[in-house]
Amino acid sequence: MTATGDGPWLDDAAGRLVRPFTVSNGRTEPTVALDLMSQVMSTGARPLGYLGPEHAQALDLCRAPVPVAEVAAHLKLPAVVTKVLLSDLVDCGALTTKPPEFHHNPTDRALLEAVLDGLRRQL
């Protein structure tokens, strides 16, 4: 029995029926440098040749700019596998990507202290 909306790749009792690295044909290195916060978006071009169902799902998720991490979460795949799938789509012209924009210093002490304070309040 498959989980609702997940198609034949997930089973309620067994979980994922196909190993994640089978989806990327065992590849672990994307051809395009992608950060988890990199934004990917569909170009409107149709990919030539056969792409797997995960490629089609990823392309559908990218109608508007979306971070790589969010695509991975929706696909329920490891980030490295998702990066390989997305790089396939970039390579064939179906997706465009841009690096994340940081408007602050990610190692800013005040920011890190604010995050730590927020975590402490949650505990």
Side-chain angles (χ1 to χ4, degrees):
M1 174 180 219
T2 59
T4 306
D6 289 322
W9 305 111
L10 294 177
D11 183 275
D12 289 333
R16 181 170 280 284
L17 298 176
V18 175
R19 293 276 187 214
F21 290 97
T22 302
V23 172
S24 64
N25 293 325
R27 294 173 294 145
T28 59
E29 292 292 324
T31 57
V32 176
L34 293 170
D35 185 271
L36 286 177
M37 295 307 298
S38 295
Q39 298 284 311
V40 288
M41 183 175 170
S42 173
T43 62
R46 295 209 88 106
L48 298 175
Y50 173 76
L51 293 176
E54 287 83 3
H55 286 92
Q57 289 174 324
L59 196 54
D60 189 46
L61 291 168
C62 297
R63 284 183 258 150
V66 61
V68 170
E70 190 171 327
V71 175
H74 284 287
L75 294 178
K76 298 178 182 152
L77 289 172
V80 68
V81 174
T82 302
K83 287 179 183 182
V84 171
L85 294 177
L86 294 174
S87 71
D88 291 345
L89 293 168
V90 170
D91 289 344
C92 71
L95 284 183
T96 186
T97 181
K98 70 177 193 173
E101 295 178 14
F102 290 107
H103 300 291
H104 62 278
N105 180 358
T107 58
D108 177 28
R109 183 174 179 91
L111 174 65
L112 294 174
E113 287 176 355
V115 169
L116 182 59
D117 289 341
L119 290 171
R120 284 182 180 147
R121 280 191 296 261
Q122 294 296 319
L123 298 174

